[in-house]
Amino acid sequence: MSKMQAMLASRQGPMIGHLAAYAYANTLTGLIPDIYAALDVVSRELVGFIPSVSRSATAERAAVGQQTRYHIAPPASNGDVTPAMQVPNPADKTIGYDYLTISKSRFTDFGIVGEEARGLNFGPGVLSVQADLIAQGFRSLTNEMEADLAGAAMLGASRAYGTAGTTPFASGVGDSAQLRKILDDNGAPGVGRSCIISTSTGANLRTNTQLTKANEAGQVMTLRQGELVELHGISYKESGQAGYHIAGTAASATTNSAGYAVGATTITLASAGTGTFLPGDVIQFAGDPNKYVVVTGDSDTSNGGTITISAPGLLVAIPASATAITRLGSYTANVGFSSNAMVLASRLPALPNEGDLALDRQIVVDPRSGMMYELGVYPGYRKIRYEIACAWGWKVTKREHMALLLG
């Protein structure tokens, strides 16, 4: 090997590395402005849950399917003050716990071949088409994440207010005060409260003159911008993914004759009635005006069994006699909660230490939801693949701090 050949060979590695770094740094950078422009144009559904729930920094370090434990403080108990010459022993406390898991690692993608790119440049331009396709990817992943949170919230609420099948706020804003009462009675924090509502509920809310007359509302947000406002310390936001619960078929069901104290959550049924209780059903017990949310149902009430209602359980004791249970109908779930009632953990999908075949990667923040997504580009043979990806998990962590406003 000549000296010239040796010199070229010694420089070949660094030169290739330099070119790879140059391509890596510039492949997607020029596309970012077009992506954000497309995000403003592509149709987007409303997002309410994602920006309203708590975020977990601990779970974000976990692998997909790996559980992260979080603690649950037990309730306190009171005692009489008794003077003594010795300090009494403190009561033992058992700290409870539950788990949060990043359960999804999802992507959406598209590909463009060289001939397609060449043809597009004689029309709208390949960058504009790519940006719109990427924006549709953000839309799809965001909607799936929002739907996951909406479904969990619908099944995780403590109690409910309103009439199943009737959209609230038809006249006045009193429904908001009743929703607040449930959160207050359950001891939910007074700050960081949100209520995520359907667009039908939002339409009713906007038609209230208290919100559209600036002299009565004290602001012009709803009148001029069509945005929702804060009512009774609750921030109202719309979601395009508001859940709809199809109720079970239980009819003429009763409790057994054991009797149940205030705070009870597991109720045994008598062998009576027909049909099913499903998780998410809203029920009432005779003599009790409160509406409870079923956590665990019963597939056949005629042969007895048990149902479980959400914490904090019964607010009115059930007497030691068969007590009728009324199942409410199907409903749209408008959900009010404090931010600590539900947790969302999200991160970018993990890579091996050695990396993968991606030519470039960028982190792009979706302005509608505030979520971070990874945009990757993978080269192929006269073709290129774009991927938008995110990993996430969710958990209702405090049922007492969440309530339904039925619609």
Side-chain angles (χ1 to χ4, degrees), residues 126-362:
V126 67
L127 290 182
S128 297
V129 173
Q130 285 175 344
D132 283 340
L133 291 171
I134 291 168
Q136 289 286 10
F138 291 147
R139 176 191 186 186
S140 178
L141 289 172
T142 299
N143 284 347
E144 182 176 340
M145 190 181 301
E146 179 81 354
D148 288 339
L149 294 175
M154 180 172 62
L155 299 178
S158 60
R159 287 185 286 130
Y161 177 81
T163 302
T166 300
T167 305
F169 301 117
S171 59
V173 295
D175 293 330
S176 177
Q178 296 299 324
L179 179 66
R180 172 177 175 142
K181 180 180 184 301
I182 294 177
L183 297 178
D184 287 344
D185 289 346
N186 288 354
V191 296
R193 291 181 177 181
S194 299
C195 183
I196 315 304
I197 61 178
S198 68
T199 53
S200 296
T201 302
N204 272 7
L205 194 55
R206 286 186 174 91
T207 59
N208 279 277
T209 57
Q210 296 98 315
L211 302 182
T212 56
K213 291 182 179 179
N215 63 324
E216 294 181 15
Q219 55 190 327
V220 295
M221 240 189 338
T222 305
L223 174 64
R224 295 185 182 174
Q225 301 176 20
E227 297 179 5
L228 299 182
V229 297
E230 183 175 290
L231 293 173
H232 307 114
I234 302 173
S235 175
Y236 281 81
K237 306 163 189 172
E238 289 172 292
S239 174
Q241 310 302 320
Y244 182 76
H245 175 72
I246 299 176
T249 59
S252 303
T254 71
T255 69
N256 66 0
S257 58
Y260 297 90
V262 171
T265 57
T266 301
I267 310 296
T268 301
L269 305 177
S271 297
T274 60
T276 62
F277 285 114
L278 299 178
D281 281 357
V282 177
I283 62 174
Q284 285 184 282
F285 299 99
D288 182 354
N290 295 288
K291 297 174 181 178
Y292 302 98
V293 180
V294 174
V295 177
T296 304
D298 186 354
S299 60
D300 184 3
T301 62
S302 66
N303 58 11
T306 61
I307 60 173
T308 303
I309 61 174
S310 191
L314 292 174
L315 297 185
V316 176
I318 295 176
S321 60
T323 301
I325 305 173
T326 300
R327 174 196 52 78
L328 277 64
S330 302
Y331 61 86
T332 297
N334 305 293
V335 189
F337 55 91
S338 59
S339 59
N340 71 328
M342 186 159 53
V343 175
L344 170 65
S346 65
R347 59 168 173 77
L348 306 182
L351 288 170
N353 293 334
E354 297 79 9
D356 65 5
L357 295 178
L359 179 65
D360 193 4
R361 279 193 175 83
Q362 292 283 349

Side-chain angles (χ1 to χ4, degrees), residues 35-36 39 44 108 131-144 362-367 369 371-375 387-389:
I35 293 171
Y36 278 104
L39 287 171
R44 294 297 303 271
T108 180
D132 283 340
L133 291 171
I134 291 168
Q136 289 286 10
F138 291 147
R139 176 191 186 186
S140 178
L141 289 172
T142 299
N143 284 347
E144 182 176 340
Q362 292 283 349
I363 297 173
V364 180
V365 178
D366 173 23
S369 64
M371 292 304 302
M372 290 193 304
Y373 293 105
E374 181 185 74
L375 172 59
E387 179 186 272
I388 304 99

